[in-house]
């Protein structure tokens, strides 16, 4: 098992290679869908810009379809994609709904087909419900890239998954981080995002496996806040009422952990016996770390994740990269990446890198 100290050393090394500066930008939204557009200097699709050993076509149109347009994490990731395509002379359209459902994302897939997009980059709200629409897009010649949360559409459409970090490593590190804080004893719970979210469910599988190493830690409940602050607060209060002796909460979602931290910050008496950790944005969690509400949490750079996904989409659409294991492409300032062979439940993929553990000692070093 990779312990927290090793995770921090590896993460610091990985992030030192390149830090993509991104800032959250507000996305306009409607009740059903929302989109923003970032356009680079206009260029003919027939001209190319060099990227690594191949040539990326200019004038590429890439649709980024996040889980929703209001989640700060998703906004930062999409901004990373916009930065990548702007550097390549392409254009990004960010489009999705305001709820974390597959139904809210399908109109954006159809819009990409109608616009004759070159690629779609999507964070799946459901592993399979999006597949009929993505199949349609693939048959229209659109390259499919999933990021953050994968889709499991089998062999059609073939797509590349940009994994934020090794899935097993995330699950293991979340549990080991909490165990180190509560002495490996007591009742714990998980405050997740949507019950259908592919990445959340995969991490939870490995959390449960890791918990077998801690016989005195018992997972008593997993609840779902649907990446909505109000819902996250509601299910958190339900947890605290049902399990007054709860020792720890893992919230592997930026919305969930910030909602829980905000509540605990105003109910300091709970901190005498309750510890919160999970995956969060430093910008949202800084206050709670500095005032002692949360000691440690972790995350990767979501801007880098979107930036890598943008380069991957452009490389696939230009024929620079392929889904063949061992295929490589250059992702701008992040360097070179290699396509990994499929594993059970996951097709061809690329891993951004290990997460960083944030605490009082380093949280002011990060701006995303």
């Amino acid at each position: 098992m990779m312990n927290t100290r090793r995770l921090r050393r590896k993460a610091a090394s990985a992030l030192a290679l390149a830090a993509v500066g991104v800032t959250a930008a507000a996305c306009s939204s409607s009740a059903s869908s929302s989109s923003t557009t970032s356009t680079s200097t206009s260029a003919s699709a027939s001209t190319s810009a060099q990227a690594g050993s191949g040539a990326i076509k200019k004038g590429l149109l890439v649709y980024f379809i996040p889980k929703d347009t209001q989640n700060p994490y998703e906004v930062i990731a999409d901004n990373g994609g916009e930065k990548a395509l702007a550097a390549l002379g392409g254009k990004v359209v960010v489009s999705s709904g305001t709820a974390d459902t597959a139904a809210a994302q399908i109109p954006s897939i159809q819009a990409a087909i109608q616009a004759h997009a070159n690629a779609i980059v999507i964070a799946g709200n459901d592993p399979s419900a999006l597949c009929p629409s993505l199949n349609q897009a693939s048959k229209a010649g659109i390259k499919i890239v999933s990021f953050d949360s994968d889709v499991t559409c089998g062999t059609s459409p073939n797509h590349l998954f940009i994994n934020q970090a090794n899935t097993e490593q995330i699950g293991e590190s979340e549990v080991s981080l909490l165990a180190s804080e509560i002495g490996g004893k007591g009742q714990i719970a998980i405050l997740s995002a949507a019950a259908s979210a592919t990445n959340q469910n995969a991490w939870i599988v490995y959390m449960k496996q890791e918990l077998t190493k801690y016989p005195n830690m018992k997972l008593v409940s997993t609840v779902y806040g649907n990446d909505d602050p109000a819902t996250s607060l509601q299910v958190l209060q339900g947890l605290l009422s049902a399990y007054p002796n709860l020792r720890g909460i893992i919230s592997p979602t930026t919305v969930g952990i910030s909602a829980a931290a905000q509540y605990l910050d105003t109910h300091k008496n709970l901190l005498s016996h309750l510890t919160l950790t999970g995956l969060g944005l430093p910008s949202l969690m800084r206050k709670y770390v500095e005032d002692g509400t949360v000691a440690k949490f972790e995350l990767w750079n979501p801007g880098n994740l979107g930036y890598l996904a943008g380069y991957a989409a452009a490389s696939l659409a230009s024929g620079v990269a392929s889904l063949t294991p061992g295929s490589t492409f250059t992702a701008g300032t992040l360097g070179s990446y290699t396509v990994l062979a499929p594993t059970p439940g996951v097709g061809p993929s690329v891993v951004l890198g290990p997460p960083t553990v944030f605490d009082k000692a380093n949280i002011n070093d990060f701006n995303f």
Side-chain angles (χ1 to χ4, degrees), residues 43 48 128 139 141 157 171 250 306-307:
S48 301
S128 58
K139 289 176 181 177
I250 298 173
Y307 184 85

Side-chain angles (χ1 to χ4, degrees), residues 158-160 316 321-329 337-343 346-350:
N158 287 324
H159 71 280
L160 181 67
L316 289 171
S322 74
L323 298 177
T324 304
S327 172
T328 62
F329 64 94
Y337 283 83
T338 300
V339 176
L340 303 177
T343 57
V346 180
S349 66
V350 168

Side-chain angles (χ1 to χ4, degrees), residues 13-340:
S13 175
L15 286 175
L17 293 175
V20 179
V22 292
T23 56
C27 290
S28 62
S29 62
S30 65
S32 60
S33 65
S34 169
S35 67
T36 62
T37 303
S38 174
T39 310
S40 66
T41 302
S42 61
S44 168
S46 63
T47 60
S48 301
Q50 290 299 318
S53 59
I56 301 293
K57 296 177 181 178
K58 284 192 175 181
L60 293 174
L61 174 62
V62 179
Y63 266 64
F64 265 66
I65 306 176
K67 289 181 178 179
D68 66 72
T69 58
Q70 298 179 331
N71 184 331
Y73 171 97
E74 300 284 335
V75 173
I76 294 173
D78 295 337
N79 285 345
E82 291 179 347
K83 182 171 183 176
L85 266 296
L88 296 170
K91 173 182 173 180
V92 162
V93 173
V94 179
S95 178
S96 191
T98 57
D100 282 19
T101 64
Q105 292 181 306
I106 289 173
S108 296
I109 300 173
Q110 295 300 321
I113 295 171
Q114 293 299 316
H116 304 289
N118 299 100
I120 288 173
V121 178
I122 187 167
N125 278 327
D126 187 281
S128 58
L130 296 165
C131 291
S133 294
L134 289 175
N135 270 315
Q136 185 181 355
S138 182
K139 289 176 181 177
I142 299 174
K143 299 299 182 182
I144 309 297
V145 174
S146 62
F147 78 143
D148 185 53
S149 185
D150 198 12
V151 290
T152 53
C153 300
T155 58
S156 180
N158 287 324
H159 71 280
L160 181 67
F161 175 43
I162 308 300
N163 199 353
Q164 50 271 71
N166 179 278
T167 302
E168 181 177 0
Q169 183 185 80
I170 295 172
E172 290 178 349
S173 64
E174 289 283 89
V175 171
S176 64
L177 194 61
L178 181 61
S180 69
E181 294 190 63
I182 67 174
K185 298 178 181 179
Q187 297 178 339
I188 70 167
I190 297 171
L191 169 54
S192 185
S196 60
T198 313
N199 56 346
Q200 299 279 315
N201 291 333
W203 296 333
I204 290 170
V205 167
Y206 286 111
M207 287 183 202
K208 290 178 178 178
Q209 290 184 13
E210 184 68 11
L211 277 170
T212 62
K213 301 177 183 178
Y214 300 92
N216 294 320
M217 283 174 63
K218 181 182 179 182
L219 177 62
V220 294
S221 183
T222 300
V223 296
Y224 302 94
N226 297 325
D227 267 349
D228 175 73
T231 305
S232 297
L233 175 60
Q234 181 180 7
V235 297
L236 170 67
Q237 291 173 322
L239 271 179
L240 298 177
S241 176
Y243 302 97
N245 297 320
L246 200 63
R247 291 290 314 284
I249 296 173
I250 298 173
S251 187
T253 159
T254 59
V255 175
I257 191 174
S258 60
Q262 183 177 11
Y263 181 80
L264 294 179
D265 191 49
T266 58
H267 296 76
K268 296 287 192 184
N269 60 304
L270 294 172
L271 299 178
S272 63
H273 66 273
L274 183 62
T275 295
L276 172 67
T277 191
L279 302 176
L281 288 168
S283 59
L284 295 180
M285 296 297 293
R286 184 171 292 110
K287 173 183 184 295
Y288 307 116
V289 170
E290 291 178 343
D291 71 10
T293 301
V294 175
K296 297 178 181 180
F297 68 99
E298 59 186 357
L299 195 69
W300 44 91
N301 187 328
N304 285 353
L305 180 66
Y307 184 85
L308 175 56
Y311 266 90
S315 297
L316 289 171
S318 301
V320 172
S322 74
L323 298 177
T324 304
S327 172
T328 62
F329 64 94
T330 299
T333 57
L334 292 179
S336 180
Y337 283 83
T338 300
V339 176
L340 303 177

